[in-house]
């Protein structure tokens, strides 16, 4: 399986501000020596030596992820603002010809997980087929409500692609094409949300965004540890610092330290920190990432858990 991240922010889109771009440029110039900018190769090497926040950005789009099986069959997870760019790329494939097919998993319908759907171009083309799958028995009605005229000038019916909706029970195993199977597990979040475990040939990717795990729940978490166990990739909600999570009980999100604890106990191979707070700039996210690495080293210095901070364009193959 391959997983690619198109939107990694939570709550609301947070594009990089002009003053932040200027700050990045000033920082890069202050660190550069004459030998660093002699030619294209030296510039490339210099930029690669910088911290992620100095030379790049984690991105400001809200939740959207794609998974592909070994034959390239497509699964879309949620539809935040990152969905628009995914759709633009898809138009260069069979979806631009009206012959595309994709499964579409909806974890829940909070705004930051659906706000890209009206701008998803492949939905306009007749012949494309999208199978919406969720643990919400009224998912179609929820999306139709998003497109009422007072919210958006085009109705959901105007999108000419074939749209089908399948309700699944929590824990029910379903096939997503010939190779991937998946099942869900509810997670704590206002209004409800569901995580999903995707499996292909003994490999597992778990998507568990918008999930609140706090100290109280950590005392009774055995069923979740079994669910997360031995995942090759665990994409986990780490919107808050640990200190913030103590102040925001029932806000529906977790922290990097809690995510690391869970990943270690479940013997996860790769933890991807996800659903970044919109108020965090790239430098703050660098610090959150470094704190997570130090926390892991404190409790499991010789363990094999790899921790990654999600960014737009990140691709992982398992």
């Amino acid at each position: 399986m391959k997983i690619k991240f198109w939107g990694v922010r939570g709550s609301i889109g947070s594009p990089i501000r002009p003053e932040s771009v200027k700050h990045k440029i000033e920082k890069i110039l202050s660190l550069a020596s004459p030998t660093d900018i002699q030619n294209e190769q030296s510039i490339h090497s210099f930029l690669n030596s910088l911290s992620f926040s100095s030379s790049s950005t984690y991105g400001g789009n809200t939740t959207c992820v794609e998974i592909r099986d070994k034959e390239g069959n497509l699964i879309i997870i949620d539809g935040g603002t990152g969905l628009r760019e995914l759709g633009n790329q898809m138009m260069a494939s069979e979806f631009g010809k009206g012959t595309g097919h994709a499964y579409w998993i909806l974890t829940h319908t909070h705004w930051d997980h659906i706000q890209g759907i009206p701008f998803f171009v492949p939905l306009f083309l007749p012949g494309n087929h999208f199978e919406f799958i969720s643990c919400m028995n009224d998912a179609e009605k929820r999306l139709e409500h998003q497109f009422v005229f007072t919210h958006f000038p085009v109705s959901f019916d105007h999108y000419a692609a074939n749209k089908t909706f399948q309700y699944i029970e929590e824990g029910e195993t379903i096939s997503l094409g010939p190779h991937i199977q998946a099942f869900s597990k509810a997670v704590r979040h206002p209004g409800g949300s569901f995580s999903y475990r995707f499996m292909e040939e003994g490999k597992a990717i778990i998507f568990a965004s918008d999930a609140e795990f706090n100290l109280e729940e950590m005392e009774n978490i055995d069923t979740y540890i079994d669910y997360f166990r031995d995942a090759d990739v665990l994409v986990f909600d780490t919107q808050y610092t640990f200190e913030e999570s103590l102040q925001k009980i029932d806000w529906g999100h977790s922290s990097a330290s809690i995510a690391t604890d869970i990943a270690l106990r479940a013997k996860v191979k790769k933890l991807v920190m996800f659903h970044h707070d919109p108020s965090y700039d790239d430098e703050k996210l660098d610090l959150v990432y470094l704190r997570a690495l130090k926390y892991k080293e404190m409790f499991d210095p010789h363990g094999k858990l790899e921790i990654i901070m999600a960014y737009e364009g990140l691709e992982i193959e398992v």
Side-chain angles (χ1 to χ4, degrees):
M1 285 181 289
K2 294 180 180 179
I3 181 170
K4 183 171 182 178
F5 295 80
W6 293 91
V8 300
R9 290 281 176 172
S11 303
I12 191 170
S14 50
I16 187 169
R17 298 185 300 274
E19 59 266 30
S20 297
V21 176
K22 183 179 179 181
H23 175 70
K24 286 178 184 288
I25 296 172
E26 290 174 342
K27 185 174 182 179
I28 290 172
L29 292 176
S30 71
L31 294 171
S33 67
T35 58
D36 291 325
I37 55 175
Q38 282 184 333
N39 52 51
E40 185 175 341
Q41 183 177 356
S42 65
I43 292 172
H44 183 73
S45 297
F46 169 63
L47 291 176
N48 284 340
S49 72
L50 300 175
S51 68
F52 188 88
S53 67
S54 295
S55 60
S56 190
T57 180
Y58 289 96
N61 281 302
T62 60
T63 302
C64 182
V65 171
E66 72 166 286
I67 293 178
R68 291 187 183 267
D69 67 16
K70 64 181 182 180
E71 293 183 357
N73 296 304
L74 174 61
I75 300 167
I76 301 171
I77 303 176
D78 285 341
T81 58
L83 178 68
R84 185 181 69 87
E85 288 294 339
L86 170 58
N88 291 343
Q89 185 192 74
M90 290 167 60
M91 289 298 291
S93 68
E94 65 272 19
F95 289 91
K97 304 173 184 177
T99 58
H101 173 272
Y103 299 96
W104 200 329
I105 300 291
L106 295 176
T107 63
H108 65 307
T109 53
H110 281 169
W111 186 240
D112 53 326
H113 292 251
I114 63 171
Q115 60 197 153
I117 295 176
F119 305 95
F120 183 61
V121 177
L123 266 180
F124 279 100
L125 272 66
N128 286 334
H129 182 196
F130 295 95
E131 295 188 50
F132 290 87
I133 298 168
S134 74
C135 294
M136 302 170 289
N137 59 12
D138 61 346
E140 183 174 11
K141 185 176 181 180
R142 294 188 188 196
L143 293 188
E144 288 175 348
H145 182 64
Q146 180 188 15
F147 287 81
V148 298
F149 191 72
T150 53
H151 295 166
F152 195 73
V154 179
S155 71
F156 196 42
D157 290 339
H158 186 76
Y159 292 75
N162 183 22
K163 305 177 291 293
T164 58
F165 288 80
Q166 180 182 355
Y167 166 73
I168 59 171
E169 297 280 353
E170 179 188 359
E172 176 186 350
T173 299
I174 58 170
S175 294
L176 303 174
H179 303 292
I180 292 180
Q181 291 188 311
F183 64 93
S184 64
K185 188 170 180 62
V187 289
R188 180 177 176 179
H189 191 69
S193 184
F194 291 87
S195 65
Y196 288 83
R197 183 175 179 123
F198 302 89
M199 301 159 291
E200 181 184 35
E201 296 183 348
K203 302 291 186 178
I205 294 174
I206 299 176
F207 183 82
S209 183
D210 294 67
E212 180 175 356
F213 290 87
N214 53 41
L215 292 176
E216 180 181 332
E217 289 181 324
M218 289 297 288
E219 297 177 359
N220 187 29
I221 199 174
D222 289 346
T223 60
Y224 282 99
I225 296 299
D226 290 339
Y227 172 70
F228 295 133
R229 193 174 306 281
D230 296 324
D232 294 275
V233 176
L234 171 58
V235 182
F236 201 91
D237 185 320
T238 57
Q239 179 158 337
Y240 302 136
T241 64
F242 181 72
E243 295 79 9
E244 288 171 335
S245 69
L246 297 178
Q247 300 169 0
K248 297 181 178 180
I249 302 296
D250 293 332
W251 284 41
H253 302 286
S254 297
S255 66
S257 54
I258 290 290
T260 303
D261 282 336
I262 291 173
L264 289 172
R265 290 176 61 177
K267 301 187 184 305
V268 169
K269 296 178 179 65
K270 195 185 303 284
L271 170 65
V272 182
M273 297 166 60
F274 186 76
H275 207 267
H276 310 319
D277 193 281
S279 67
Y280 292 3
D281 61 16
D282 290 317
E283 289 185 343
K284 175 67 176 288
L285 289 175
D286 267 357
L287 293 175
V288 171
Y289 178 50
L290 291 174
R291 287 182 64 181
L293 294 179
K294 291 179 179 178
Y295 184 84
K296 185 265 180 188
E297 289 301 311
M298 287 173 54
F299 292 95
D300 191 38
H302 305 297
K304 296 181 179 180
L305 173 65
E306 180 183 1
I307 302 177
I308 297 175
M309 182 72 83
Y311 59 86
E312 290 180 23
L314 172 64
E315 296 182 68
I316 300 172
E317 184 173 355
V318 298

